[in-house]
Amino acid sequence: MGRNGASIIGGGRAPVKPVTRRIYKHLCGLALLAGAATLAAATARAGPWVQARGGYFAKFNASYLYTRTEFDAHGNEVPLLHSNPLVRDAAYREVVLASYIEYGVRERVTVLGSLPFKIATSARTEISRDANVERKVDVTNGGWSDLFLGVRYALVRGSRPVAIEAGAKLPLGYASMPDNGGPALGTGKPDAEAALLAGFGAAHVYGSVRAAYRVMGGSLDDLAGFSAELGGSHRRLFAQAVLEGWYTMGDVVPLDVSSTMMVANQDLLKLIATAGMKTGTHTAVALEVYHVLDGRNAPTGTTVAAAIAFNTP
């Protein structure tokens, strides 16, 4: 079986028709908040703290996601691509190599950015309308996804910091609807985001909260988001837990394959757990797990990642 799903199961019977836009548009819709998970995997979860002038933080990680289910518009966990009667046994696989960098340009101002390279695969069995013919399809698309650029400004510094943050997500030229019927690497639309952050730090324990608003490009309604994190360290070891949610400001309707809709509004709630170790005065390694707790029109599953980080000594 080739990557384009050219092989046919069923002997000499006529092959099924090529995959249509309606069959794989669902995969494009799932790219919206799957992409948000990618961004979370790249970031440092730095909260309201800013870098000192000339200070830096850089993080590089590799993550993996495999899922066969999704949350539908009512929040029920269902098989992937369940709304398409001509598709069964669907699965989605994603590998992401991501980088995240912060740099302190002034005492209160830190610029930040992330850049993920994504390899996404859709596997499924397609069934023809006019004959009892099936074919296995396994299609992969890879490339640079969305560049994120932002700035964080410290309103209050010290052990009780407060900061504001603004940024934009910029698609890097990938096809929002690939011709090969595979998954898109993102929504293909630019987004803008603003957030208010507050935190605390005491001895070896810290925490923060974040409230954000994301202006979505294209026809999607905007998103409101929140996160709450708690972390701590002991000698060279550290751990962190983050609860993060994004909720649409519009109605959530099904990703119906009979419509012309390419993407739909989504909700997503996920838990992010990190455990790591400092390997030097300015280096660390970590293992990360991102688990989707709940959602609507969103992929289920657990993403696992390994990361290495560098910071100002």
Side-chain angles (χ1 to χ4, degrees):
M1 179 180 64
R3 287 163 64 90
N4 61 355
S7 65
I8 304 298
I9 298 177
R13 293 176 289 182
V16 295
K17 297 179 181 179
V19 65
T20 65
R21 292 160 67 95
R22 288 182 179 178
I23 288 180
Y24 67 82
K25 72 181 183 178
H26 202 119
L27 297 171
C28 301
L30 292 178
L32 170 59
L33 288 180
T38 299
L39 176 61
T43 61
R45 315 304 310 179
W49 289 271
V50 295
Q51 299 294 328
R53 184 170 184 174
Y56 66 88
F57 176 91
K59 179 181 177 183
F60 306 91
N61 72 354
S63 63
Y64 177 81
L65 167 68
Y66 178 83
T67 184
R68 300 180 66 91
T69 59
E70 62 180 311
F71 291 112
D72 65 13
H74 306 290
N76 301 312
E77 187 172 349
V78 295
L80 194 64
L81 301 179
H82 69 287
S83 60
N84 195 320
L86 302 180
V87 173
R88 63 177 178 82
D89 300 329
Y92 177 78
R93 182 170 65 252
E94 181 180 280
V95 176
V96 178
L97 305 176
S99 60
Y100 172 84
I101 297 176
E102 292 187 357
Y103 181 77
V105 295
R106 295 187 177 181
E107 289 303 316
R108 290 180 177 266
V109 181
T110 290
V111 294
L112 51 96
S114 68
L115 180 61
F117 185 90
K118 182 185 296 187
I119 303 171
T121 300
S122 168
R124 57 189 181 268
T125 299
E126 294 181 5
I127 308 169
S128 67
R129 288 181 179 274
D130 51 1
N132 186 23
V133 180
E134 298 181 356
R135 70 168 181 173
K136 296 288 187 178
V137 176
D138 193 329
V139 188
T140 298
N141 290 319
W144 299 109
S145 182
D146 298 312
L147 172 67
F148 182 84
L149 297 173
V151 59
R152 184 182 305 127
Y153 179 79
L155 299 174
V156 179
R157 304 185 68 183
S159 61
R160 300 291 187 272
V162 178
I164 54 176
E165 190 174 286
K169 183 202 76 175
L170 306 172
L172 295 181
Y174 56 82
S176 59
M177 188 182 299
D179 293 334
N180 64 359
L185 303 180
T187 64
K189 302 293 183 181
D191 305 331
E193 184 178 316
L196 175 65
L197 308 90
F200 73 91
H204 299 288
V205 178
Y206 67 92
S208 73
V209 293
R210 184 178 191 265
Y213 191 87
R214 182 179 298 171
V215 179
M216 302 298 298
S219 61
L220 294 170
D221 290 307
D222 297 345
L223 293 170
F226 79 92
S227 68
E229 67 172 333
L230 182 65
S233 62
H234 177 69
R235 296 181 180 178
R236 297 171 60 191
L237 303 178
F238 61 89
Q240 180 188 64
V242 180
L243 182 66
E244 181 175 348
W246 288 97
Y247 298 92
T248 181
M249 304 302 291
D251 296 327
V252 177
V253 297
L255 282 163
D256 186 357
V257 296
S258 65
S259 74
T260 59
M261 176 178 55
M262 298 311 304
V263 293
N265 291 330
Q266 298 170 302
D267 295 338
L268 185 73
L269 179 67
K270 61 179 179 285
L271 178 66
I272 307 167
T274 301
M277 179 178 67
K278 297 179 181 178
T279 56
T281 57
H282 59 282
T283 59
V285 294
L287 295 177
E288 303 168 323
V289 177
Y290 311 80
H291 180 68
V292 179
L293 298 173
D294 196 13
R296 294 187 295 172
N297 283 347
T300 65
T302 301
T303 299
V304 294
I308 183 171
F310 306 87
N311 66 280
T312 307

